[in-house]
Amino acid sequence: MATRPKTVFLDAATLGPGIDTGKLDALVDAEYYPYSTPAEVAERIRDCKIAITNKAPISGDAIAGAPDLELIVVSATGTDNVATAVARERGVAVANIRDYCSTSVVQHVFALVLGLTQHVGRYHALVVGGEWTRSRSFALFDYPIRELAGRTLGIIGYGSLGQAVGRLGESLGMRLAVAARRGLAPDQVPSGRVPFETVLEQADVLTLHCPLTEATHHMIGRAELGRMKRDALLINTARGALVDNEALVEALREGRLAGAGIDVLPTEPPTPDDVLLRAAAELPNLIVTPHIAWAAKEARQRALDQVTENIAAYLRGERLRRVV
């Protein structure tokens, strides 16, 4: 058998525990590092043929300093941590992975929605605290429970994730309102879409599934929150900076929004003074989770399996999931 290409996984710990690397190990001579600083990235890819990264940045200088490098595989969909222009210039292929965590994300979206409508955790705390045993009624009614059937699920971003969320919403009896791109005139709105502003006004639950770009940065700010129903919920499992979190906290505190479930923050890991982290300790209608919507074990395994598929395709001369 031909010599297996020397490969380095720069931040393997970011895929979490319990992942089977057997298929990758059978294909390449892989060395796994839990994390890599920018300086370590340059050193570790210097004599490699293949580099795998999740979040570790691979700069243009690092690529230029790795004469044997042929392929970079990102174990995520976004490739903004790779200097793709330099890679293209130097003939280094870049591939990503796609649609590997939709099921996990959809589950988490509705875990957040149900957390804000069923209040399971809060009722459990009442039970543990003895409130049920002290009650004169057979049931407790401290927190209002809402049915989702008949309510409107507003979706911003209708790729594979948004569509999967929509299917589950419909199975729960929700009506869908899929937002058109912001800024379109009414006569430009495609069939099957609803004007962006109208979705804000109609949604009982608004969930975000779009990429972060200059156009979508803080797309949900004070003005947009002001258009939403006072009893609406906002769910963000996409990118932290899609939402102006200062404005979100204000709306929650002032009762202008019923609740929010947030899985992503603008900086990750966040600093202790992050506005949402501070608010989560005091606002019962705010749930913050640590970027785990994608993190079901099955999804994490699919991520590594797709990385392996990309490498195998490259070695066969194919272009599976190539972005460069």
Side-chain angles (χ1 to χ4, degrees):
M1 180 178 177
T3 302
R4 294 182 302 165
K6 185 173 181 180
T7 301
V8 60
F9 196 150
L10 294 165
D11 51 356
T14 61
L15 286 188
I19 302 304
D20 183 0
T21 64
K23 292 179 183 178
L24 180 61
D25 293 331
L27 185 64
V28 299
D29 178 16
E31 187 168 5
Y32 299 89
Y33 294 97
Y35 304 99
S36 298
T37 66
E40 290 170 337
V41 167
E43 179 61 31
R44 290 169 179 174
I45 72 172
R46 192 178 306 279
D47 60 351
C48 286
K49 184 173 181 178
I50 299 170
I52 304 169
T53 181
N54 187 353
K55 305 302 180 189
I58 302 182
S59 67
D61 288 343
I63 294 171
D68 297 330
L69 187 64
E70 294 185 11
L71 173 66
I72 297 169
V73 184
V74 182
S75 60
T77 302
T79 58
D80 54 305
N81 58 322
V82 176
T84 52
V86 176
R88 183 178 291 107
E89 180 182 312
R90 298 187 66 86
V92 176
V94 180
N96 66 356
I97 63 176
R98 303 166 198 176
D99 199 23
Y100 60 97
C101 62
S102 293
T103 299
S104 181
V105 172
V106 170
Q107 287 183 185
H108 197 76
V109 167
F110 280 93
L112 293 171
V113 172
L114 293 171
L116 292 163
T117 53
Q118 297 296 122
H119 307 291
V120 172
R122 297 170 76 183
Y123 275 111
H124 173 70
L126 291 180
V127 171
V128 171
E131 294 299 319
W132 198 14
T133 61
R134 292 189 290 270
S135 174
R136 296 184 64 184
S137 174
F138 75 97
L140 299 181
F141 303 98
D142 296 60
Y143 309 112
I145 295 173
R146 303 167 59 187
E147 291 186 349
L148 297 177
R151 296 186 180 272
T152 298
L153 176 63
I155 303 175
I156 299 178
Y158 205 55
S160 59
L161 273 175
Q163 292 173 39
V165 167
R167 287 192 294 272
L168 184 51
E170 286 182 314
S171 75
L172 293 171
M174 302 188 78
R175 299 186 297 264
L176 299 192
V178 180
R181 190 159 40 86
R182 187 176 189 175
L184 291 182
D187 60 349
Q188 297 176 313
V189 174
S191 175
R193 299 291 189 269
V194 179
F196 180 87
E197 292 77 10
T198 304
V199 170
L200 295 178
E201 296 165 357
Q202 291 181 349
D204 297 294
V205 177
L206 181 67
T207 182
L208 310 182
H209 300 286
C210 52
L212 178 62
T213 66
E214 288 185 9
T216 61
H217 182 269
H218 283 189
M219 68 185 304
I220 304 298
R222 284 180 178 82
E224 291 74 24
L225 291 166
R227 283 180 173 267
M228 294 178 65
K229 298 178 180 180
R230 296 178 72 90
D231 63 349
L233 305 177
L234 173 66
I235 308 296
N236 185 11
T237 57
R239 290 292 182 267
L242 294 174
V243 179
D244 179 345
N245 288 329
E246 295 274 1
L248 174 59
V249 169
E250 288 178 9
L252 293 172
R253 281 194 177 126
E254 295 170 7
R256 291 184 283 107
L257 191 70
I262 307 295
D263 186 55
V264 285
L265 295 178
T267 300
E268 297 175 342
T271 60
D273 63 348
D274 180 273
V275 63
L276 281 188
L277 292 191
R278 296 198 314 270
E282 59 178 281
L283 293 177
N285 56 346
L286 171 62
I287 300 174
V288 179
T289 54
H291 204 141
I292 55 169
W294 70 284
K297 183 178 179 181
E298 296 86 350
R300 293 184 287 112
Q301 185 64 58
R302 278 194 296 272
L304 186 62
D305 290 347
Q306 283 197 22
V307 166
T308 304
E309 292 166 2
N310 288 350
I311 293 172
Y314 174 80
L315 295 176
R316 293 192 301 264
E318 301 168 2
R319 296 182 58 87
L320 182 63
R321 304 187 190 96
R322 287 271 294 275
V323 297
V324 172

